[in-house]
Amino acid sequence: MREEPQILQRADFGALFTALQSRGFTVVGPTVVDQAIVYEELDSVEDLPIGWTDEQDAGRYRLRRRDDEALFGYVVGPQSWKQFFHPPHVKLFGASRDREGALRFESSNEETPRFAFLGARSCELHGMAIQDRVFLGSGYVDSEYAGRRENSFTIAVNCGQAGGTCFCTSMNTGPKVDAGIPHDLALTEILDEERHYFVVTVGSEAGRELLSELPTVPAAGPETRAADELVAKTAREMGRTMNPKGVKELLYQNLEHPRWEELADRCLTCANCTMVCPTCFCTTVEDVTDLTGENAERWRRWDSCFTIDFSYLHGGSVRQSAKSRYRQWLTHKFATWQDQFGSSGCVGCGRCITWCPVGIDVTEEIAAIREEP
Amino acid sequence: MKGEGKSKQKLAVWKFASCDGCQLSLLDCEDEILAVSEAIEIANFPEATRRVLPGPYDLSLVEGSITSQHDAERIRQVRAESEYLITIGACATAGGIQALRNYRDVREMASVVYASPQYLDTLETSTAISDHVPVDFELRGCPVNKQQLLEVILAFLHRRKPNIATHSVCVECKLRGNVCVMTAHGTPCLGPVTQAGCGAICPAYDRGCYGCFGPMETPNTAALTAQWKAMGVSDPDILRAYRSFNGYAEAFKTEAEKHE
Ligand code: SF4
Ligand code: SF4
Ligand code: SF4
Ligand code: SF4
């Protein structure tokens, strides 16, 4: 049993892939595609965004070269891990009619891979914990989600730098991976003048078992101190801040604040913010039939409170105006979520700010609502 | 239920001013079309066969816009003979690329192009079918997406609501896992104001959306234009972006006019 932090040399990083793959895991993690860092299946350490970083601001993301060969020298990209637990499209079931006219149902029974998530950040672990409460926490367990989530293995990374739209310190979700947040292993990447290594800590029994197979040595005092100092530096570099104090009451008391009207002028109601948000979970279902009408399938796909159909009830859609749709998103994330699931729906990852095509910034909007109208 | 057993549904495809691309989308699904011809009787399909069966028709699919007096009368006849009428494609739903003429003097253009323009019977404008007769459903796209076309036909056969989303292309773009070209590359994209349907093809190939499926349900073109301007796009380029295949669709038309 190894409780104390271990050191894994960069040169030995491939052993981590080997250990995961030999256990039957499909490794998914960050890689460069179309000038951004996305999450995909990885074969080896070479697939990681070695020597890349990102610059982020409201409505803007740019990939840049680093002057070192860091493996995790960037923050979060347009995608989140939710696409693996809660995929954009899922077939829920099929139904067919036999000769006597009776309906037969078949569940989709798709085999889900066992994923190992490499490079999840602290805010992302908090995002997963929030989605766990949504999909598993109530009396109604989402079996699709549960199946994918149960078998996964998570290797977290402590952030060595903050992004231009990050505000996890405000939301108390990072940048350090706390022992209390579910994960299997956590890495801190250190590059100094001579060395390139990872300080590895254990987050679970499965993590401990896997670590015992890696060529590591116990970390010395200066090494763990370097790791702590790096994360502390990241915490001081947040690109954004948000005062979370009383935000629920603030929003509830300001449902008619003039700021919502201004937002309606700027917001495209394009739904990008909800698509990229690691905690947004909304879906719609679509039934498809074949030509004979004897076979049908029910599919579930991501939806968003920004679409008109989302609030469609008999007679029409409840949220017609852009104002009401933007207000739904912001108040759900920061206020009603607390009543519904017992925490904020925002983990401060900054994705909705970066990937909003017109750069609408939730931290700025909440600050504006805090000001007297 | 209709579409079952002996009572085949009678389907007619009609062509007005168009390039035939939308009819080709229907022809393009060869396998499916064989199946379609078992459930329905094709009473008219100019791209596939010369045979025309007399009306009435259960479903008419109409491609193309109205550009002549003769066609303006013909579409009334089609409507009168059709229980359901569905328009397909940018020409039929918005006037098409040929609606560019709506901003010019048609007679002058005709005199430049044709040796004997006096024989032409042409209207001043190219307009959508719904400007002339009531339409039951409009399927967007330049051309239409063949899966969506099949979906609309299937929905009609089984008398259910077609699964045709009217939200932005951005939603499809994210479902597909594309990297946003607007935010990550600085490429102007019409996706946020354009209706889904293509599956976000252009952003998947590093291009901005061209607006082939026309305005989405609640297009905020002014906000998108403000962002394009901040990215350095000029007024003439903004005008050209909006005034294309769907340039005569209301939201795109009014946005384009602001940049004349
Ligand atoms: S609301 Fe925005 S910043 Fe908060 S978790 Fe969602 S995407 Fe991240
Ligand atoms: S913000 Fe909108 S899309 Fe996201 S979870 Fe809430 S209602 Fe659903
Ligand atoms: S806030 Fe931005 S990303 Fe979200 S719907 Fe509005 S314009 Fe789109
Ligand atoms: S690339 Fe275009 S369509 Fe895709 S999300 Fe960005 S703005 Fe929307």
Side-chain angles (χ1 to χ4, degrees), chain A residues 167 273 276-279 329 333-334 345-352 362:
Chain A
F167 59 105
C273 46
V276 296
C277 178
T279 68
W329 139 259
K333 288 281 105 161
F334 292 92
C346 173
V347 297
C349 72
R351 284 183 179 87
C352 59
V362 288

Side-chain angles (χ1 to χ4, degrees), chain A residues 34 62 267 270 287 289 291 308, chain B residues 35 160 163 168 183 185 217:
Chain A
D34 290 339
R62 291 293 182 276
C267 175
C270 65
D287 292 339
T289 41
L291 210 85
I308 284 279
Chain B
R160 64 169 171 80
N163 296 314
S168 67
T183 34
H185 308 171
E217 52 197 14

Side-chain angles (χ1 to χ4, degrees), chain B residues 124-138:
Chain B
E124 293 289 324
T125 54
S126 166
T127 46
I129 300 298
S130 61
D131 290 341
H132 300 265
V133 295
V135 166
D136 296 301
F137 189 81
E138 294 191 316

Side-chain angles (χ1 to χ4, degrees), chain A residues 257-282:
Chain A
H257 196 283
R259 188 73 180 189
W260 302 118
E261 282 297 350
E262 288 170 42
L263 271 160
D265 291 339
R266 285 186 285 140
C267 175
L268 304 164
T269 61
C270 65
N272 272 305
C273 46
T274 53
M275 297 283 130
V276 296
C277 178
T279 68
C280 273
F281 55 81
C282 286

Side-chain angles (χ1 to χ4, degrees), chain B residues 16 66 68-76 123 132-133:
Chain B
F16 288 81
I66 302 300
S68 70
Q69 193 52 44
H70 174 247
D71 277 356
E73 280 149 28
R74 190 160 62 98
I75 189 61
R76 283 192 198 97
L123 296 171
H132 300 265
V133 295

Side-chain angles (χ1 to χ4, degrees), chain A residues 194-257:
Chain A
E194 297 103 46
R195 300 170 61 203
H196 186 177
Y197 62 93
F198 296 85
V199 178
V200 190
T201 56
V202 164
S204 75
E205 204 43 60
R208 175 176 295 123
E209 186 269 323
L210 191 119
L211 182 62
S212 69
E213 203 177 278
L214 301 181
T216 62
V217 294
E223 292 163 333
T224 50
R225 263 199 305 283
D228 290 344
E229 275 162 22
L230 184 67
V231 188
K233 175 193 77 82
T234 303
R236 292 190 299 270
E237 285 178 345
M238 291 290 133
R240 296 286 195 276
T241 54
M242 212 273 291
N243 174 6
K245 201 164 151 264
V247 67
K248 178 174 110 177
E249 292 71 25
L250 176 78
L251 291 174
Y252 282 165
Q253 284 155 15
N254 283 287
L255 295 176
E256 295 304 331
H257 196 283

